[in-house]
Amino acid sequence: MSERARKFTVAVIPGDGIGPEVIAEAKKAVEAAASIENASFEWAEYPFGASHYLETGEVLPGSAISEIGKASAMLLGAIGDPAVKPGILERGILLTLRFVFDQYVNLRPALSLPNVPTPVPLDGKIDSVVVRENTEDLYMGLGGVTRDGKLKVQLELERGSYNLRGDIAVELSREIPFAAQVALNTQTGVERITRFACETAAKRGESRITIVTKSNAAPALYGFFEDIARETISSEYPDMLSETVNVDALCYHLVRKPDAYGVLLCPNLFGDIVSDLQAGLAGGMGTAAGGNIGDGLSMFEPVHGSAPDIAGTGRANPIAAILAGAMMMRHMNLEKSAQAIGRAVSDYLASSPKMAMPFEFSGEASCAQVGDAVAAKI
Ligand code: IPM
Ligand code: MN
């Protein structure tokens, strides 16, 4: 007897630039893999992004947020366009979604893939993962700019696990323009991301994680992160070893020995930076996927941006988006399907002649041709 198909509705914001092109290929791969575990997918597409904003002035209406919240998961292409001032769409769409759905983990794996050139020679293979705290730190959006040496900003913020009220009040002795931005790391925030990092290491069969901080320069903010992370590990995961590294030193070591790391537990800002470095070392943004994960709706995306310079040319590499689709399926407990996509990507890269590789790897295959080739191997 065949069991009834498991039906999933996925909210999709293809977004700007190459976003729609790569998302189309991610959907292809997910649909090809769905039958493996008798799943079926419905896509609920939303138009938000630069063109929608320029046409309507609308960034991300509350009604759409509530609708999106009912989906099983979400896929996001890329947000950002040179015609829109930086920050409006990134904060208004991407960060808003991360915050309202309290997606406190940004999970960004990096894996050496066959025939994908790496900028640094490797002894072994890169197989690391950034576990980035995704709701706090310098990303909270608490700040202001003043031209006259006096700053007073009223703060009011609702977050998944707390609300915040207060103000920033700073006055300089001279009328110098300045900016201030407040970062918070809370005990709840650090504990939950530390748990996730430890669980991730355990699933990988590893017994060590690296805590990435900068407590020598910012002892309050990052000393606290470090202390809470260490306390969480020693009280809840006594068998897990941890090393603490300042982010500058980590970048140095990561460039020299990219294959020496496993789970990298990072506060939000360092996780943003380290995950780009890690992606670059593993072969580029074209293969880097990420998941914004929480207890409610989770959202999966390629780590790359909207790349307006190559949008519409067919030169975009859809592999990152396809792997984001696989991460989404894994999150939905469709492990076999997720593995099938991962294997298909590796097979495709391992077996394709140069011409059939993405432009990013000096081939000539268009975004859709890469997507078709991967889907055919699933
Ligand atoms: C990322 C991006 C975003 C971030 C930007 C677009 C706000 O760089 O997803 O890494 O900083 O988190
Ligand atoms: Mn980034």
Side-chain angles (χ1 to χ4, degrees), residues 98 108 132 139 271-273 275-276 285 303:
R98 288 177 184 169
R108 297 186 156 178
R132 167 185 176 191
Y139 271 70
D272 177 47
I273 298 165
S275 59
D276 271 30
M285 277 299 180
V303 177

